[in-house]
């Protein structure tokens, strides 16, 4: 089990797809949590932190650190700040968006998602270091999936917290490309950066920690080639991921309401445009595409999530 490779003072709360993994760091001087899951799971996130504090005879959570501000990574921020009076640290590039809670800069409206408003206390600046629990971590820029994302790297133990830049089998949707901004090149650069690091354990944003970074980098590169060689693939994949994510939360939803959400979600409208589909065709295609891939079923005009 790779988690046995975790040094003392680090615990990974492996979550699912709706909530990203949370990484709990503790030492004498600092107790921190990296990423906080989705808002619908905020009570579970608080319980996980409380259990870890109790188990390790700790009295406080000092800070929350977000690798990036997608709703599955920071949806628990507001609830944790309220429950533990902890500081919140966000990637420096998100300062303007969070200070004014600017919906045009934040991703939630664009992606049709929810995230309770929170305030940040400090910034994560790529190139600088940060104490998490008992170890000092390097803050690395990780553009691609999200251009403002950071990763965290601990050089003594060769541990990488990769967020959605590298999973055991791939990486997060290259969202910028869906609305016509470059992203594939940035994904490649971030993979190149990871390859330069001695890594003995990767803690990804989703899925279990894994040890074979080289194999995952190779898988990610071949996936990237597949997507970049035809941007329609990325648009189709991104649209399916966005609907699936929403459906995990809904579990079941009337098709009319699903369609209403699709046409009200700007990123999906961008995907339709990329695919040269008008919205009428797109709302016929997208739920069916999920069904075809085995991620959902349609019954009595309801779309139902399949795990
Ligand atoms: Zn993400």
């Amino acid at each position: 089990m790779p988690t046995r490779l975790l040094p003392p003072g680090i615990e990974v709360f492996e979550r699912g797809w709706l909530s990203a993994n949370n990484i709990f760091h503790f030492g004498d001087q600092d107790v921190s949590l990296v990423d906080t899951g989705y808002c619908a799971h905020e009570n579970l996130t608080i319980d996980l932190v409380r259990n870890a504090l109790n188990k390790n005879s700790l009295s406080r959570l000092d800070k929350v650190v977000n690798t990036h501000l997608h709703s599955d990574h920071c949806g628990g921020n507001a609830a944790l700040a309220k429950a533990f009076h902890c500081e919140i640290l966000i990637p420096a590039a998100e300062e303007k968006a969070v200070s004014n809670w600017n919906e045009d800069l934040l991703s939630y409206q664009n992606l049709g998602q929810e995230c309770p408003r929170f305030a940040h206390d400090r910034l994560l600046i790529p190139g600088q270091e940060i104490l998490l629990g008992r170890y000092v971590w390097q803050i690395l820029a990780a553009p691609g999936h999200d251009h403002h994302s950071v990763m965290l790297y601990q050089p003594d133990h060769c541990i990488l917290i990769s967020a959605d830049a590298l999973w055991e089998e791939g990486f997060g949707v290259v969202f910028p490309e869906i609305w016509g901004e470059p992203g594939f090149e940035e994904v490649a650069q971030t993979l190149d950066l990871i390859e330069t690091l001695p890594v003995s354990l990767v803690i990804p944003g989703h899925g279990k920690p894994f040890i074979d970074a080289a194999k995952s980098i190779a898988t990610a590169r071949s996936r990237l080639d597949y997507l970049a060689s035809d941007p329609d693939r990325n648009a189709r994949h991104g649209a399916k991921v966005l609907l699936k994510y929403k459906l995990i939360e809904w579990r079941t939803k009337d098709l009319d309401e699903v369609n209403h959400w699709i046409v009200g979600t700007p990123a999906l409208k961008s995907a339709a445009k990329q695919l040269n589909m008008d919205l009428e065709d797109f709302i016929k295609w997208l739920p069916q595409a999920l069904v075809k891939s085995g991620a959902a079923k349609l019954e009595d005009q309801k779309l139902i999530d399949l795990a």
Side-chain angles (χ1 to χ4, degrees):
M1 269 296 286
T3 42
R4 274 203 227 123
L5 298 175
L6 286 171
I10 302 177
E11 290 179 20
V12 178
F13 309 157
E14 193 186 329
R15 310 288 294 266
W17 284 105
L18 198 55
S19 279
N21 293 337
N22 319 131
I23 304 112
F24 183 74
H25 302 257
F26 61 98
D28 291 340
Q29 287 162 41
D30 177 73
V31 180
S32 291
L33 187 74
V34 173
D35 287 342
T36 64
Y38 186 65
C39 58
H41 297 163
E42 63 187 26
N43 290 332
L44 176 57
T45 306
I46 289 172
D47 285 348
L48 288 165
V49 171
R50 205 160 263 149
N51 287 343
L53 290 172
N54 290 341
K55 191 176 81 183
N56 297 292
S57 308
L58 301 162
S59 57
R60 55 177 215 283
L61 177 69
D62 294 303
K63 62 187 191 283
V64 152
V65 168
N66 295 125
T67 57
H68 62 302
L69 298 190
H70 284 160
S71 62
D72 51 334
H73 291 257
C74 66
N77 280 16
L80 287 169
K82 197 167 165 219
F84 298 104
H85 308 287
C86 54
E87 282 191 309
I88 293 178
L89 281 71
I90 59 167
E94 297 285 10
E95 180 177 22
K96 205 171 136 199
V98 171
S99 297
N100 316 309
W101 205 252
N102 185 332
E103 290 283 2
D104 292 331
L105 298 177
L106 294 163
S107 63
Y108 317 117
Q109 211 168 65
N110 187 26
L111 302 181
Q113 299 171 357
E114 316 279 327
C115 184
R117 181 171 181 167
F118 59 86
H120 73 280
D121 299 281
R122 284 192 287 143
L123 299 172
L124 302 164
I125 299 169
Q128 293 191 355
E129 295 180 330
I130 184 171
L131 180 72
L132 298 175
R134 59 193 81 176
Y135 310 109
V136 173
W137 295 68
Q138 298 170 359
I139 301 165
L140 306 172
H145 161 72
D146 177 287
H147 285 341
H148 298 158
S149 182
V150 299
M151 302 183 292
L152 298 159
Y153 179 66
Q154 212 300 315
D156 304 316
H157 294 279
C158 300
I159 300 175
L160 178 72
I161 294 176
S162 63
D164 295 341
L166 181 68
W167 298 336
E168 188 164 17
E169 302 279 342
F171 46 81
V173 174
V174 189
F175 284 117
E177 291 278 348
I178 292 177
W179 43 87
E181 286 170 20
F184 298 133
E185 187 55 40
E186 287 79 357
V187 170
Q189 284 166 10
T190 297
L191 294 173
D192 289 350
L193 169 65
I194 296 172
E195 196 172 40
T196 65
L197 305 169
V199 173
S200 57
L201 186 72
V202 179
I203 304 173
H206 302 269
K208 64 183 194 312
F210 57 91
I211 52 177
D212 197 342
K215 186 176 164 208
S216 293
I217 290 169
T219 304
R221 284 197 176 122
S222 103
R223 173 89 184 141
L224 179 63
D225 281 350
Y226 171 80
L227 294 171
S229 63
D230 178 0
D232 282 10
R233 290 173 175 161
N234 187 59
R236 280 194 292 267
H237 172 65
K240 284 194 277 182
V241 166
L242 283 173
L243 178 54
K244 174 66 180 179
Y245 183 77
K246 202 69 190 170
L247 192 57
I248 297 173
E249 184 186 2
W250 287 333
R251 309 195 72 89
T252 170
K253 200 78 171 169
D254 285 340
L255 198 54
D256 286 346
E257 291 173 68
V258 172
N259 291 341
H260 182 74
W261 175 79
I262 292 173
V263 300
T265 297
L268 289 174
K269 286 200 254 185
S270 300
K273 203 170 144 209
Q274 163 72 35
L275 295 167
N276 279 316
M277 283 187 195
D278 58 37
L279 281 177
E280 210 171 306
D281 290 337
F282 188 72
I283 60 172
K284 276 184 208 144
W285 167 77
L286 181 52
Q288 285 296 346
L290 266 201
V291 170
K292 264 188 200 157
S293 64
K297 62 177 180 178
L298 263 170
E299 256 177 37
D300 304 329
Q301 291 299 101
K302 283 184 198 305
L303 192 63
I304 300 163
D305 185 45
L306 291 177

